[in-house]
């Protein structure tokens, strides 16, 4: 059987799984303070050893309870944060995460006035510096920083292409090049966040790989 071209595989992947985690969480991502903060919260939740759907549901519950920006997150009680996380099914880590979310909101407010664009500006265009600054936020480690930047590259184009080790693992499973520049060339620049999310799903779930292969091979 002939090997499908890479563009066909990428298009099938995007058709099936090309939805960012921000979109899934109801975040209308723009280069403005509130959605950027919401993305940070989502990245925090997704970085735990927990199902992505649970993390997304917990983010929706926090935002639905009014904790949509750093000020409201900080001003919420610890119990309100715990309750919202529990409503989203995020129970295994709810107490520790509630504490971290409060501390993270304080840092974002104190250091950046609630506006993560100031964190970006502080990095001065250096992506590794940006990644390091994100990890100063309580609850954001290397995985959380990667999640944030994979999604933020859609509104912070200077970060693109941000295709980290997790996305490259998904690419390898699909027979795609495990190289950020080569991968980025297979999709439009505006599609990079969706491509990154889809590749992560391929890395995490063999069924995604099987579905794409079935579509490609007919």
């Amino acid at each position: 059987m002939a090997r499908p071209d890479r563009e066909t595989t990428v298009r099938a992947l995007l058709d099936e799984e090309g939805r960012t985690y921000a979109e899934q969480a109801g975040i209308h991502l723009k280069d403005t303070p509130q959605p950027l903060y919401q993305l940070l919260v989502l990245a925090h939740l997704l970085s735990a050893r927990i199902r992505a759907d649970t993390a997304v549901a917990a983010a929706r519950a926090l935002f639905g309870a009014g904790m949509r920006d750093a000020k409201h997150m900080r001003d919420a009680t610890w119990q309100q944060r715990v309750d919202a996380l529990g409503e989203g099914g995020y129970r295994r880590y709810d107490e520790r995460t509630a504490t971290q979310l409060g501390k993270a909101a304080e840092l974002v407010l104190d250091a950046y006035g609630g506006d993560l664009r100031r964190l970006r500006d502080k990095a001065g265009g250096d992506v590794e510096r940006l990644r390091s600054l994100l990890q100063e936020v309580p609850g954001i480690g290397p995985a959380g920083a990667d999640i944030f930047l994979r999604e933020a590259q859609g509104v912070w184009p200077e970060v693109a292409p941000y295709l980290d080790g997790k996305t490259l693992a998904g690419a390898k499973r699909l027979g795609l090049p495990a190289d950020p520049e080569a991968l980025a060339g297979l999709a439009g620049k505006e599609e990079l966040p969706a491509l990154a999310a889809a590749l992560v799903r391929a890395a995490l779930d063999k069924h995604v790989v099987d579905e794409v292969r079935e579509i490609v091979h007919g």
Side-chain angles (χ1 to χ4, degrees), residues 178-191:
D179 173 78
E181 293 294 339
L183 271 176
L186 297 172
K189 194 166 185 179
E190 71 283 354
E191 294 178 305

PDB file of all heavy atoms in Angstrom, residues 178-191:
ATOM      1  N   ALA A 178       9.317  14.417  13.105  1.00  0.00           N
ATOM      2  CA  ALA A 178       9.451  14.834  14.503  1.00  0.00           C
ATOM      3  C   ALA A 178      10.374  16.044  14.584  1.00  0.00           C
ATOM      4  O   ALA A 178      11.374  16.054  15.296  1.00  0.00           O
ATOM      5  CB  ALA A 178       9.979  13.684  15.350  1.00  0.00           C
ATOM      6  N   ASP A 179      10.009  17.064  13.822  1.00  0.00           N
ATOM      7  CA  ASP A 179      10.789  18.291  13.750  1.00  0.00           C
ATOM      8  C   ASP A 179       9.821  19.472  13.709  1.00  0.00           C
ATOM      9  O   ASP A 179       8.925  19.501  12.843  1.00  0.00           O
ATOM     10  CB  ASP A 179      11.658  18.277  12.495  1.00  0.00           C
ATOM     11  CG  ASP A 179      12.373  19.600  12.282  1.00  0.00           C
ATOM     12  OD1 ASP A 179      13.388  19.848  12.962  1.00  0.00           O
ATOM     13  OD2 ASP A 179      11.889  20.393  11.446  1.00  0.00           O
ATOM     14  N   PRO A 180       9.945  20.425  14.618  1.00  0.00           N
ATOM     15  CA  PRO A 180       8.967  21.520  14.697  1.00  0.00           C
ATOM     16  C   PRO A 180       8.795  22.294  13.391  1.00  0.00           C
ATOM     17  O   PRO A 180       7.662  22.562  12.972  1.00  0.00           O
ATOM     18  CB  PRO A 180       9.520  22.409  15.810  1.00  0.00           C
ATOM     19  CG  PRO A 180      10.292  21.485  16.687  1.00  0.00           C
ATOM     20  CD  PRO A 180      10.901  20.497  15.751  1.00  0.00           C
ATOM     21  N   GLU A 181       9.890  22.660  12.753  1.00  0.00           N
ATOM     22  CA  GLU A 181       9.780  23.457  11.528  1.00  0.00           C
ATOM     23  C   GLU A 181       9.126  22.654  10.402  1.00  0.00           C
ATOM     24  O   GLU A 181       8.282  23.175   9.667  1.00  0.00           O
ATOM     25  CB  GLU A 181      11.166  23.949  11.099  1.00  0.00           C
ATOM     26  CG  GLU A 181      11.797  24.959  12.051  1.00  0.00           C
ATOM     27  CD  GLU A 181      11.055  26.277  12.112  1.00  0.00           C
ATOM     28  OE1 GLU A 181      10.308  26.595  11.167  1.00  0.00           O
ATOM     29  OE2 GLU A 181      11.227  26.997  13.119  1.00  0.00           O
ATOM     30  N   ALA A 182       9.510  21.388  10.280  1.00  0.00           N
ATOM     31  CA  ALA A 182       8.911  20.549   9.237  1.00  0.00           C
ATOM     32  C   ALA A 182       7.421  20.335   9.484  1.00  0.00           C
ATOM     33  O   ALA A 182       6.606  20.387   8.546  1.00  0.00           O
ATOM     34  CB  ALA A 182       9.634  19.207   9.168  1.00  0.00           C
ATOM     35  N   LEU A 183       7.064  20.114  10.736  1.00  0.00           N
ATOM     36  CA  LEU A 183       5.649  19.939  11.073  1.00  0.00           C
ATOM     37  C   LEU A 183       4.857  21.210  10.799  1.00  0.00           C
ATOM     38  O   LEU A 183       3.754  21.175  10.241  1.00  0.00           O
ATOM     39  CB  LEU A 183       5.511  19.581  12.559  1.00  0.00           C
ATOM     40  CG  LEU A 183       5.569  18.113  12.948  1.00  0.00           C
ATOM     41  CD1 LEU A 183       5.521  17.991  14.460  1.00  0.00           C
ATOM     42  CD2 LEU A 183       4.442  17.320  12.309  1.00  0.00           C
ATOM     43  N   ALA A 184       5.414  22.337  11.208  1.00  0.00           N
ATOM     44  CA  ALA A 184       4.720  23.617  11.028  1.00  0.00           C
ATOM     45  C   ALA A 184       4.462  23.892   9.556  1.00  0.00           C
ATOM     46  O   ALA A 184       3.453  24.517   9.200  1.00  0.00           O
ATOM     47  CB  ALA A 184       5.533  24.745  11.648  1.00  0.00           C
ATOM     48  N   GLY A 185       5.346  23.406   8.697  1.00  0.00           N
ATOM     49  CA  GLY A 185       5.169  23.620   7.268  1.00  0.00           C
ATOM     50  C   GLY A 185       4.035  22.825   6.652  1.00  0.00           C
ATOM     51  O   GLY A 185       3.652  23.072   5.507  1.00  0.00           O
ATOM     52  N   LEU A 186       3.472  21.888   7.427  1.00  0.00           N
ATOM     53  CA  LEU A 186       2.383  21.055   6.923  1.00  0.00           C
ATOM     54  C   LEU A 186       1.002  21.626   7.233  1.00  0.00           C
ATOM     55  O   LEU A 186      -0.014  21.047   6.862  1.00  0.00           O
ATOM     56  CB  LEU A 186       2.496  19.640   7.515  1.00  0.00           C
ATOM     57  CG  LEU A 186       3.758  18.863   7.140  1.00  0.00           C
ATOM     58  CD1 LEU A 186       3.845  17.569   7.942  1.00  0.00           C
ATOM     59  CD2 LEU A 186       3.794  18.568   5.639  1.00  0.00           C
ATOM     60  N   ALA A 187       0.964  22.759   7.920  1.00  0.00           N
ATOM     61  CA  ALA A 187      -0.313  23.388   8.285  1.00  0.00           C
ATOM     62  C   ALA A 187      -0.163  24.893   8.190  1.00  0.00           C
ATOM     63  O   ALA A 187       0.952  25.423   8.189  1.00  0.00           O
ATOM     64  CB  ALA A 187      -0.722  22.973   9.699  1.00  0.00           C
ATOM     65  N   GLY A 188      -1.280  25.582   8.132  1.00  0.00           N
ATOM     66  CA  GLY A 188      -1.235  27.039   8.136  1.00  0.00           C
ATOM     67  C   GLY A 188      -0.830  27.547   9.509  1.00  0.00           C
ATOM     68  O   GLY A 188      -1.044  26.887  10.524  1.00  0.00           O
ATOM     69  N   LYS A 189      -0.244  28.731   9.547  1.00  0.00           N
ATOM     70  CA  LYS A 189       0.222  29.280  10.817  1.00  0.00           C
ATOM     71  C   LYS A 189      -0.911  29.409  11.824  1.00  0.00           C
ATOM     72  O   LYS A 189      -0.737  29.163  13.024  1.00  0.00           O
ATOM     73  CB  LYS A 189       0.891  30.635  10.590  1.00  0.00           C
ATOM     74  CG  LYS A 189       1.701  31.122  11.782  1.00  0.00           C
ATOM     75  CD  LYS A 189       2.602  32.272  11.412  1.00  0.00           C
ATOM     76  CE  LYS A 189       3.485  32.641  12.600  1.00  0.00           C
ATOM     77  NZ  LYS A 189       4.411  33.760  12.289  1.00  0.00           N
ATOM     78  N   GLU A 190      -2.094  29.760  11.330  1.00  0.00           N
ATOM     79  CA  GLU A 190      -3.238  29.923  12.235  1.00  0.00           C
ATOM     80  C   GLU A 190      -3.717  28.576  12.777  1.00  0.00           C
ATOM     81  O   GLU A 190      -4.486  28.528  13.745  1.00  0.00           O
ATOM     82  CB  GLU A 190      -4.381  30.643  11.516  1.00  0.00           C
ATOM     83  CG  GLU A 190      -5.092  29.848  10.444  1.00  0.00           C
ATOM     84  CD  GLU A 190      -4.316  29.740   9.122  1.00  0.00           C
ATOM     85  OE1 GLU A 190      -3.252  30.391   8.995  1.00  0.00           O
ATOM     86  OE2 GLU A 190      -4.793  29.024   8.218  1.00  0.00           O
ATOM     87  N   GLU A 191      -3.285  27.489  12.157  1.00  0.00           N
ATOM     88  CA  GLU A 191      -3.708  26.158  12.595  1.00  0.00           C
ATOM     89  C   GLU A 191      -2.751  25.540  13.614  1.00  0.00           C
ATOM     90  O   GLU A 191      -3.030  24.446  14.124  1.00  0.00           O
ATOM     91  CB  GLU A 191      -3.807  25.212  11.390  1.00  0.00           C
ATOM     92  CG  GLU A 191      -4.892  25.575  10.399  1.00  0.00           C
ATOM     93  CD  GLU A 191      -4.914  24.636   9.203  1.00  0.00           C
ATOM     94  OE1 GLU A 191      -3.857  24.482   8.549  1.00  0.00           O
ATOM     95  OE2 GLU A 191      -5.981  24.055   8.933  1.00  0.00           O
TER      96      GLU A 191
END
